[in-house]
PDB file of all heavy atoms in Angstrom:
ATOM      1  N   LEU A  26      -8.034   5.053   8.191  1.00 98.00           N
ATOM      2  CA  LEU A  26      -7.062   6.140   8.023  1.00 98.00           C
ATOM      3  C   LEU A  26      -6.908   6.362   6.526  1.00 98.00           C
ATOM      4  O   LEU A  26      -6.573   5.425   5.801  1.00 98.00           O
ATOM      5  CB  LEU A  26      -5.694   5.744   8.582  1.00 98.00           C
ATOM      6  CG  LEU A  26      -5.575   5.419  10.056  1.00 98.00           C
ATOM      7  CD1 LEU A  26      -4.121   5.026  10.371  1.00 98.00           C
ATOM      8  CD2 LEU A  26      -5.977   6.605  10.915  1.00 98.00           C
ATOM      9  N   GLY A  27      -7.135   7.578   6.053  1.00 98.00           N
ATOM     10  CA  GLY A  27      -7.024   7.847   4.616  1.00 98.00           C
ATOM     11  C   GLY A  27      -8.326   7.547   3.882  1.00 98.00           C
ATOM     12  O   GLY A  27      -8.317   6.996   2.782  1.00 98.00           O
ATOM     13  N   SER A  28      -9.447   7.922   4.488  1.00 98.00           N
ATOM     14  CA  SER A  28     -10.758   7.546   3.919  1.00 98.00           C
ATOM     15  C   SER A  28     -11.090   8.271   2.623  1.00 98.00           C
ATOM     16  O   SER A  28     -11.947   7.830   1.868  1.00 98.00           O
ATOM     17  CB  SER A  28     -11.867   7.799   4.943  1.00 98.00           C
ATOM     18  OG  SER A  28     -11.986   9.178   5.207  1.00 98.00           O
ATOM     19  N   THR A  29     -10.425   9.403   2.352  1.00 98.00           N
ATOM     20  CA  THR A  29     -10.761  10.182   1.147  1.00 98.00           C
ATOM     21  C   THR A  29      -9.947   9.753  -0.075  1.00 98.00           C
ATOM     22  O   THR A  29     -10.159  10.263  -1.172  1.00 98.00           O
ATOM     23  CB  THR A  29     -10.521  11.689   1.395  1.00 98.00           C
ATOM     24  OG1 THR A  29      -9.163  11.852   1.826  1.00 98.00           O
ATOM     25  CG2 THR A  29     -11.459  12.234   2.456  1.00 98.00           C
ATOM     26  N   GLY A  30      -9.012   8.828   0.110  1.00 97.00           N
ATOM     27  CA  GLY A  30      -8.159   8.421  -1.011  1.00 97.00           C
ATOM     28  C   GLY A  30      -8.761   7.281  -1.814  1.00 97.00           C
ATOM     29  O   GLY A  30      -9.932   6.914  -1.639  1.00 97.00           O
ATOM     30  N   SER A  31      -7.937   6.714  -2.691  1.00 96.00           N
ATOM     31  CA  SER A  31      -8.399   5.669  -3.589  1.00 96.00           C
ATOM     32  C   SER A  31      -8.850   4.424  -2.808  1.00 96.00           C
ATOM     33  O   SER A  31      -9.972   3.928  -2.984  1.00 96.00           O
ATOM     34  CB  SER A  31      -7.254   5.350  -4.563  1.00 96.00           C
ATOM     35  OG  SER A  31      -7.451   4.133  -5.192  1.00 96.00           O
ATOM     36  N   ILE A  32      -8.021   3.907  -1.928  1.00 97.00           N
ATOM     37  CA  ILE A  32      -8.395   2.729  -1.139  1.00 97.00           C
ATOM     38  C   ILE A  32      -9.500   3.089  -0.141  1.00 97.00           C
ATOM     39  O   ILE A  32     -10.451   2.326   0.050  1.00 97.00           O
ATOM     40  CB  ILE A  32      -7.175   2.168  -0.369  1.00 97.00           C
ATOM     41  CG1 ILE A  32      -6.125   1.649  -1.352  1.00 97.00           C
ATOM     42  CG2 ILE A  32      -7.587   1.073   0.604  1.00 97.00           C
ATOM     43  CD1 ILE A  32      -6.477   0.377  -2.063  1.00 97.00           C
ATOM     44  N   GLY A  33      -9.376   4.270   0.477  1.00 98.00           N
ATOM     45  CA  GLY A  33     -10.379   4.698   1.468  1.00 98.00           C
ATOM     46  C   GLY A  33     -11.781   4.758   0.874  1.00 98.00           C
ATOM     47  O   GLY A  33     -12.733   4.210   1.448  1.00 98.00           O
ATOM     48  N   THR A  34     -11.917   5.382  -0.294  1.00 98.00           N
ATOM     49  CA  THR A  34     -13.266   5.518  -0.873  1.00 98.00           C
ATOM     50  C   THR A  34     -13.791   4.156  -1.345  1.00 98.00           C
ATOM     51  O   THR A  34     -14.983   3.882  -1.239  1.00 98.00           O
ATOM     52  CB  THR A  34     -13.296   6.521  -2.045  1.00 98.00           C
ATOM     53  OG1 THR A  34     -12.253   6.194  -2.954  1.00 98.00           O
ATOM     54  CG2 THR A  34     -13.090   7.940  -1.593  1.00 98.00           C
ATOM     55  N   GLN A  35     -12.888   3.295  -1.818  1.00 98.00           N
ATOM     56  CA  GLN A  35     -13.344   1.959  -2.234  1.00 98.00           C
ATOM     57  C   GLN A  35     -13.734   1.108  -1.025  1.00 98.00           C
ATOM     58  O   GLN A  35     -14.631   0.273  -1.105  1.00 98.00           O
ATOM     59  CB  GLN A  35     -12.266   1.255  -3.065  1.00 98.00           C
ATOM     60  CG  GLN A  35     -12.061   1.949  -4.413  1.00 98.00           C
ATOM     61  CD  GLN A  35     -11.026   1.213  -5.258  1.00 98.00           C
ATOM     62  OE1 GLN A  35     -11.353   0.286  -5.969  1.00 98.00           O
ATOM     63  NE2 GLN A  35      -9.783   1.633  -5.167  1.00 98.00           N
ATOM     64  N   THR A  36     -13.066   1.352   0.106  1.00 98.00           N
ATOM     65  CA  THR A  36     -13.454   0.650   1.336  1.00 98.00           C
ATOM     66  C   THR A  36     -14.867   1.065   1.722  1.00 98.00           C
ATOM     67  O   THR A  36     -15.708   0.233   2.076  1.00 98.00           O
ATOM     68  CB  THR A  36     -12.469   0.993   2.485  1.00 98.00           C
ATOM     69  OG1 THR A  36     -11.153   0.637   2.074  1.00 98.00           O
ATOM     70  CG2 THR A  36     -12.820   0.264   3.762  1.00 98.00           C
ATOM     71  N   LEU A  37     -15.142   2.363   1.622  1.00 98.00           N
ATOM     72  CA  LEU A  37     -16.487   2.841   1.969  1.00 98.00           C
ATOM     73  C   LEU A  37     -17.533   2.330   0.971  1.00 98.00           C
ATOM     74  O   LEU A  37     -18.687   2.110   1.336  1.00 98.00           O
ATOM     75  CB  LEU A  37     -16.493   4.370   2.081  1.00 98.00           C
ATOM     76  CG  LEU A  37     -15.752   4.874   3.330  1.00 98.00           C
ATOM     77  CD1 LEU A  37     -15.578   6.395   3.301  1.00 98.00           C
ATOM     78  CD2 LEU A  37     -16.484   4.454   4.613  1.00 98.00           C
ATOM     79  N   GLU A  38     -17.124   2.120  -0.278  1.00 98.00           N
ATOM     80  CA  GLU A  38     -18.046   1.521  -1.261  1.00 98.00           C
ATOM     81  C   GLU A  38     -18.426   0.100  -0.834  1.00 98.00           C
ATOM     82  O   GLU A  38     -19.592  -0.290  -0.927  1.00 98.00           O
ATOM     83  CB  GLU A  38     -17.337   1.434  -2.623  1.00 98.00           C
ATOM     84  CG  GLU A  38     -17.964   2.265  -3.716  1.00 98.00           C
ATOM     85  CD  GLU A  38     -17.182   2.084  -5.013  1.00 98.00           C
ATOM     86  OE1 GLU A  38     -16.202   2.840  -5.214  1.00 98.00           O
ATOM     87  OE2 GLU A  38     -17.534   1.194  -5.786  1.00 98.00           O
ATOM     88  N   VAL A  39     -17.416  -0.641  -0.366  1.00 98.00           N
ATOM     89  CA  VAL A  39     -17.673  -2.006   0.117  1.00 98.00           C
ATOM     90  C   VAL A  39     -18.628  -1.958   1.315  1.00 98.00           C
ATOM     91  O   VAL A  39     -19.574  -2.740   1.412  1.00 98.00           O
ATOM     92  CB  VAL A  39     -16.342  -2.710   0.489  1.00 98.00           C
ATOM     93  CG1 VAL A  39     -16.578  -4.003   1.246  1.00 98.00           C
ATOM     94  CG2 VAL A  39     -15.514  -2.977  -0.770  1.00 98.00           C
ATOM     95  N   VAL A  40     -18.389  -1.002   2.212  1.00 98.00           N
ATOM     96  CA  VAL A  40     -19.252  -0.844   3.391  1.00 98.00           C
ATOM     97  C   VAL A  40     -20.685  -0.532   2.934  1.00 98.00           C
ATOM     98  O   VAL A  40     -21.651  -1.138   3.403  1.00 98.00           O
ATOM     99  CB  VAL A  40     -18.717   0.301   4.293  1.00 98.00           C
ATOM    100  CG1 VAL A  40     -19.716   0.663   5.377  1.00 98.00           C
ATOM    101  CG2 VAL A  40     -17.378  -0.103   4.915  1.00 98.00           C
ATOM    102  N   ARG A  41     -20.799   0.375   1.970  1.00 98.00           N
ATOM    103  CA  ARG A  41     -22.117   0.777   1.456  1.00 98.00           C
ATOM    104  C   ARG A  41     -22.842  -0.423   0.827  1.00 98.00           C
ATOM    105  O   ARG A  41     -24.013  -0.671   1.106  1.00 98.00           O
ATOM    106  CB  ARG A  41     -21.940   1.890   0.420  1.00 98.00           C
ATOM    107  CG  ARG A  41     -23.243   2.395  -0.168  1.00 98.00           C
ATOM    108  CD  ARG A  41     -22.994   3.383  -1.309  1.00 98.00           C
ATOM    109  NE  ARG A  41     -22.283   4.568  -0.869  1.00 98.00           N
ATOM    110  CZ  ARG A  41     -21.137   5.011  -1.407  1.00 98.00           C
ATOM    111  NH1 ARG A  41     -20.565   4.352  -2.407  1.00 98.00           N
ATOM    112  NH2 ARG A  41     -20.566   6.101  -0.958  1.00 98.00           N
ATOM    113  N   ASN A  42     -22.121  -1.186   0.019  1.00 98.00           N
ATOM    114  CA  ASN A  42     -22.747  -2.312  -0.678  1.00 98.00           C
ATOM    115  C   ASN A  42     -23.207  -3.412   0.257  1.00 98.00           C
ATOM    116  O   ASN A  42     -24.174  -4.106  -0.024  1.00 98.00           O
ATOM    117  CB  ASN A  42     -21.773  -2.915  -1.703  1.00 98.00           C
ATOM    118  CG  ASN A  42     -21.529  -1.972  -2.858  1.00 98.00           C
ATOM    119  OD1 ASN A  42     -22.318  -1.067  -3.100  1.00 98.00           O
ATOM    120  ND2 ASN A  42     -20.431  -2.176  -3.562  1.00 98.00           N
ATOM    121  N   ASN A  43     -22.499  -3.595   1.368  1.00 98.00           N
ATOM    122  CA  ASN A  43     -22.854  -4.685   2.278  1.00 98.00           C
ATOM    123  C   ASN A  43     -23.884  -4.273   3.324  1.00 98.00           C
ATOM    124  O   ASN A  43     -24.705  -5.086   3.732  1.00 98.00           O
ATOM    125  CB  ASN A  43     -21.598  -5.234   2.954  1.00 98.00           C
ATOM    126  CG  ASN A  43     -20.829  -6.161   2.028  1.00 98.00           C
ATOM    127  OD1 ASN A  43     -21.210  -7.305   1.840  1.00 98.00           O
ATOM    128  ND2 ASN A  43     -19.783  -5.633   1.404  1.00 98.00           N
ATOM    129  N   GLY A  44     -23.790  -3.024   3.767  1.00 98.00           N
ATOM    130  CA  GLY A  44     -24.791  -2.519   4.697  1.00 98.00           C
ATOM    131  C   GLY A  44     -24.756  -3.089   6.106  1.00 98.00           C
ATOM    132  O   GLY A  44     -25.677  -2.851   6.874  1.00 98.00           O
ATOM    133  N   ASP A  45     -23.721  -3.842   6.465  1.00 98.00           N
ATOM    134  CA  ASP A  45     -23.694  -4.366   7.836  1.00 98.00           C
ATOM    135  C   ASP A  45     -22.382  -4.075   8.562  1.00 98.00           C
ATOM    136  O   ASP A  45     -21.975  -4.815   9.446  1.00 98.00           O
ATOM    137  CB  ASP A  45     -23.995  -5.869   7.834  1.00 98.00           C
ATOM    138  CG  ASP A  45     -22.959  -6.669   7.048  1.00 98.00           C
ATOM    139  OD1 ASP A  45     -22.091  -6.045   6.404  1.00 98.00           O
ATOM    140  OD2 ASP A  45     -23.013  -7.904   7.089  1.00 98.00           O
ATOM    141  N   ILE A  46     -21.716  -2.995   8.161  1.00 98.00           N
ATOM    142  CA  ILE A  46     -20.505  -2.569   8.869  1.00 98.00           C
ATOM    143  C   ILE A  46     -20.738  -1.149   9.362  1.00 98.00           C
ATOM    144  O   ILE A  46     -21.256  -0.309   8.615  1.00 98.00           O
ATOM    145  CB  ILE A  46     -19.265  -2.597   7.941  1.00 98.00           C
ATOM    146  CG1 ILE A  46     -18.902  -4.037   7.571  1.00 98.00           C
ATOM    147  CG2 ILE A  46     -18.062  -1.907   8.605  1.00 98.00           C
ATOM    148  CD1 ILE A  46     -17.692  -4.165   6.652  1.00 98.00           C
ATOM    149  N   GLU A  47     -20.369  -0.898  10.616  1.00 98.00           N
ATOM    150  CA  GLU A  47     -20.478   0.471  11.136  1.00 98.00           C
ATOM    151  C   GLU A  47     -19.101   1.134  11.079  1.00 98.00           C
ATOM    152  O   GLU A  47     -18.100   0.528  11.479  1.00 98.00           O
ATOM    153  CB  GLU A  47     -20.976   0.424  12.585  1.00 98.00           C
ATOM    154  CG  GLU A  47     -21.199   1.801  13.174  1.00 98.00           C
ATOM    155  CD  GLU A  47     -21.648   1.745  14.638  1.00 98.00           C
ATOM    156  OE1 GLU A  47     -22.239   0.726  15.066  1.00 98.00           O
ATOM    157  OE2 GLU A  47     -21.375   2.727  15.346  1.00 98.00           O
ATOM    158  N   VAL A  48     -19.064   2.356  10.579  1.00 98.00           N
ATOM    159  CA  VAL A  48     -17.807   3.103  10.500  1.00 98.00           C
ATOM    160  C   VAL A  48     -17.754   4.033  11.712  1.00 98.00           C
ATOM    161  O   VAL A  48     -18.557   4.948  11.835  1.00 98.00           O
ATOM    162  CB  VAL A  48     -17.750   3.918   9.196  1.00 98.00           C
ATOM    163  CG1 VAL A  48     -16.458   4.713   9.127  1.00 98.00           C
ATOM    164  CG2 VAL A  48     -17.878   3.002   7.987  1.00 98.00           C
ATOM    165  N   THR A  49     -16.809   3.772  12.624  1.00 98.00           N
ATOM    166  CA  THR A  49     -16.799   4.567  13.856  1.00 98.00           C
ATOM    167  C   THR A  49     -15.882   5.781  13.771  1.00 98.00           C
ATOM    168  O   THR A  49     -16.110   6.777  14.439  1.00 98.00           O
ATOM    169  CB  THR A  49     -16.365   3.708  15.067  1.00 98.00           C
ATOM    170  OG1 THR A  49     -15.012   3.296  14.842  1.00 98.00           O
ATOM    171  CG2 THR A  49     -17.253   2.497  15.245  1.00 98.00           C
ATOM    172  N   ALA A  50     -14.835   5.713  12.951  1.00 99.00           N
ATOM    173  CA  ALA A  50     -13.878   6.826  12.905  1.00 99.00           C
ATOM    174  C   ALA A  50     -13.214   6.903  11.536  1.00 99.00           C
ATOM    175  O   ALA A  50     -12.953   5.877  10.910  1.00 99.00           O
ATOM    176  CB  ALA A  50     -12.818   6.635  13.994  1.00 99.00           C
TER     177      ALA A  50
END
Side-chain angles (χ1 to χ4, degrees):
L26 299 179
S28 65
T29 55
S31 163
I32 295 288
T34 50
Q35 292 182 86
T36 302
L37 288 171
E38 244 181 272
V39 169
V40 169
R41 181 187 298 125
N42 291 340
N43 281 283
D45 62 353
I46 292 180
E47 184 182 335
V48 179
T49 64

